[in-house]
């Protein structure tokens, strides 16, 4: 009897210990939940303590993980996009040399042959040169140390001097002089020192695609019709093979070389036409920005500033615009008339006006514009 009582007492003591341990665990869990709640409440209040904080700042904070993922994916995919551009361009050039050039030499007149050879090779040289320079030329970065530059702000991410027209690239994780945008097809930022190379590549690539589309239109129609005939004959051959008797023979089929030729022509025309439409629209957009003397980022900034001043009855004037014609001369680096040939129509590695740190009046501009605002 006593042994049973002792055993019952031992079991009860063990049960009480388990209950006490469970209470401790529950208390610890509740305390952790309270700590997380207070931490989250503090984070939320830290977002709202500043009077300048608005909905955009909150959304940017919430989407910060998404921005981080996009930045890193874009940085990695840049190498893939560059390889894709080189591969597709090389395939078009190979098709032109292997399939189309022999046909041109056999059927065209000597004058047309000379024109196609001269224009085609000039356009190809301009595309290769400007694309190589765009991906290998640094867009320009401000110095990290303090200097004597006037009107310099501080970048909130780099904690370094930030000259006018400079913006921080989250993909490159650096400030870029006169930043336009980060181009994944270049795996590089488009800035002060390679903006001309980027635009020239877009322009000459569009011109080359239009040239191939127009020149190959008749060949494309013939090749497409030949492919349709291939499909029809292949269908008839299969039907004859299924019902073949002793005296029946299948209809003739196209050779592998003929199939490859026609499909290559169709591939060339479809790819060049698609790129001409997409890249042509982008080129026109950047041409309009250059005409106004602003970059893609400055367009949004100037539009907001224009709306803000319009409410006050003032007119906004871009301090970096010198007129449509002068803007193009400054962008292309044309100082004298012969530069239209040596710097625009021929490959030229000349540097742009200025250093990207200060924006003095270029020598090709003879008329001084109003600095900023006009009432």
């Amino acid at each position: 009897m006593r042994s049973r009582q002792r055993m019952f007492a031992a079991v009860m003591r063990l049960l009480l210990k388990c209950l006490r341990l469970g209470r401790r665990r529950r208390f610890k869990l509740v305390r952790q939940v309270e700590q997380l709640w207070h931490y989250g409440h503090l984070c939320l209040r830290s977002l709202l303590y500043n009077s300048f904080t608005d909905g955009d700042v909150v959304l940017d904070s919430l989407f910060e993980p998404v921005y981080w993922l996009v930045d890193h994916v874009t940085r990695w995919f840049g190498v893939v996009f560059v390889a894709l551009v080189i591969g597709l361009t090389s395939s078009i050039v190979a098709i032109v040399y292997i399939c189309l050039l022999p046909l041109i030499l056999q059927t065209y007149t000597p004058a047309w042959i000379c024109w196609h050879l001269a224009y085609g090779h000039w356009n190809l040289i301009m595309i290769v040169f400007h694309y190589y320079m765009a991906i290998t030329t640094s867009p320009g970065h401000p110095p990290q140390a303090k200097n004597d530059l006037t009107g310099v702000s501080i970048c909130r991410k780099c904690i370094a001097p930030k000259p006018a027209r400079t913006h921080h690239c989250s993909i490159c994780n650096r400030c870029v002089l006169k930043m336009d945008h980060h181009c994944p097809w270049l795996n590089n930022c488009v800035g002060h020192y390679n903006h001309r190379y980027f635009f020239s590549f877009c322009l000459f690539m569009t011109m080359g695609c239009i040239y191939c589309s127009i020149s190959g239109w008749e060949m494309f129609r013939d090749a497409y019709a030949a492919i349709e005939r291939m499909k029809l004959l292949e269908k008839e051959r299969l039907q004859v093979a299924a019902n073949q008797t002793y005296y029946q023979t299948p209809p003739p089929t196209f050779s592998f070389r003929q199939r490859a030729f026609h499909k290559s022509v169709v591939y060339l025309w479809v790819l060049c036409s698609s790129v001409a439409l997409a890249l042509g629209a982008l080129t026109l957009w950047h041409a309009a920005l250059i005409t106004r003397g602003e970059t893609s980022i400055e367009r949004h900034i100037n539009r907001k500033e224009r709306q803000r001043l319009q409410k006050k009855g003032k007119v906004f004037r871009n301090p970096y615009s010198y007129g449509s014609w002068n803007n193009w001369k400054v962008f292309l680096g044309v100082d004298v008339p012969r530069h239209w040939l040596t710097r625009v129509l021929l490959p030229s590695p000349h540097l742009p006006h200025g250093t990207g740190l200060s924006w003095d009046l270029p020598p090709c501009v003879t008329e001084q514009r109003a600095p900023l605002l006009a009432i």
Side-chain angles (χ1 to χ4, degrees):
M1 189 69 179
R2 290 182 179 178
S3 61
R4 290 182 179 179
Q5 290 179 353
R6 291 177 181 174
M7 184 178 297
F8 179 75
V11 170
M12 292 300 296
R13 285 195 299 268
L14 181 61
L15 181 61
L16 289 174
K17 288 182 180 180
C18 292
L19 290 175
R20 291 175 183 174
L21 184 62
R23 290 176 183 176
R24 291 177 182 176
R25 288 181 178 176
R26 286 197 300 271
F27 178 75
K28 185 177 181 180
L29 180 62
V30 170
R31 191 166 65 177
Q32 290 179 349
V33 171
E34 290 180 352
Q35 289 177 352
L36 289 176
W37 168 257
H38 290 303
Y39 178 75
H41 184 66
L42 180 62
C43 291
L44 183 62
R45 292 191 62 182
S46 65
L47 290 174
L48 302 176
Y49 85 97
N50 197 331
S51 60
F52 294 100
T53 302
D54 53 9
D56 294 337
V57 176
V58 176
L59 287 177
D60 289 342
S61 301
L62 293 176
F63 280 93
E64 189 66 29
V66 179
Y67 298 150
W68 181 88
L69 180 63
V70 170
D71 292 343
H72 283 71
V73 169
T74 304
R75 189 181 308 170
W76 183 83
F77 267 99
V79 180
V80 179
F81 288 157
V82 171
L84 187 62
V85 171
I86 296 174
L88 294 178
T89 306
S90 301
S91 66
I92 295 299
V93 174
I95 291 173
V96 170
Y97 273 103
I98 296 174
C99 300
L100 301 186
L101 187 59
L103 189 62
I104 290 174
L105 296 176
Q106 294 175 5
T107 57
Y108 284 23
T109 62
W112 275 109
I113 291 175
C114 293
W115 187 87
H116 281 286
L117 290 177
Y119 178 81
H121 286 89
W122 169 78
N123 203 342
L124 178 61
I125 291 172
M126 297 298 285
I127 290 173
V128 173
F129 171 78
H130 287 102
Y131 188 69
Y132 174 79
M133 294 299 293
I135 63 178
T136 57
T137 302
S138 173
H141 306 285
Q144 297 296 316
K146 294 183 179 181
N147 46 36
D148 297 331
L149 291 177
T150 58
V152 174
S153 60
I154 300 297
C155 178
R156 292 180 296 177
K157 297 183 179 180
C158 294
I159 316 298
K162 182 180 177 183
R165 310 188 80 178
T166 299
H167 300 280
H168 186 88
C169 177
S170 57
I171 299 175
C172 298
N173 198 25
R174 295 187 67 180
C175 282
V176 177
L177 299 176
K178 193 192 170 185
M179 179 179 175
D180 188 89
H181 68 288
H182 184 94
C183 182
W185 298 100
L186 303 179
N187 194 27
N188 195 8
C189 266
V190 177
H192 179 62
Y193 289 103
N194 64 347
H195 193 182
R196 179 178 64 88
Y197 298 131
F198 164 77
F199 177 79
S200 298
F201 163 72
C202 293
L203 176 63
F204 289 113
M205 178 64 82
T206 303
M207 292 171 57
C209 290
I210 293 175
Y211 163 74
C212 291
S213 299
I214 295 176
S215 301
W217 168 245
E218 294 296 333
M219 297 180 186
F220 165 74
R221 292 178 58 184
D222 296 340
Y224 186 80
I227 291 176
E228 292 298 322
R229 288 198 302 271
M230 288 182 198
K231 295 180 181 179
L232 182 60
L233 290 176
E234 185 69 20
K235 185 177 180 181
E236 292 179 358
R237 190 183 69 83
L238 292 176
Q239 291 177 353
V240 170
N243 302 320
Q244 189 175 16
T245 60
Y246 179 76
Y247 56 87
Q248 287 178 325
T249 57
T253 58
F254 288 85
S255 64
F256 173 78
R257 184 175 182 179
Q258 290 173 325
R259 292 172 181 269
F261 175 83
H262 295 310
K263 291 182 178 180
S264 298
V265 172
V266 173
Y267 163 78
L268 179 143
W269 192 88
V270 172
L271 180 60
C272 288
S273 301
S274 303
V275 173
L277 291 175
L279 193 59
L282 179 65
T283 304
L284 291 176
W285 164 253
H286 280 278
L289 294 176
I290 295 169
T291 304
R292 295 196 294 263
E294 58 188 11
T295 62
S296 301
I297 297 176
E298 291 174 349
R299 176 185 176 272
H300 300 285
I301 298 174
N302 293 346
R303 183 180 59 181
K304 292 182 178 180
E305 188 68 13
R306 189 177 295 108
Q307 293 174 354
R308 185 183 70 85
L309 293 175
Q310 188 177 5
K311 295 179 181 179
K312 297 182 178 181
K314 297 182 179 180
V315 178
F316 172 78
R317 290 183 181 176
N318 184 6
Y320 309 111
S321 177
Y322 310 103
S324 301
W325 183 246
N326 286 332
N327 288 337
W328 278 102
K329 291 172 64 177
V330 172
F331 178 78
L332 297 174
V334 176
D335 298 329
V336 294
R338 71 172 183 273
H339 286 168
W340 290 104
L341 174 63
T342 59
R343 294 188 174 185
V344 179
L345 297 181
L346 294 176
S348 175
H350 65 277
L351 297 175
H353 287 296
T355 61
L357 302 176
S358 60
W359 300 97
D360 300 327
L361 190 68
C364 59
V365 178
T366 58
E367 190 175 276
Q368 178 69 43
R369 299 281 296 177
L372 186 59
L373 303 177
I375 299 177

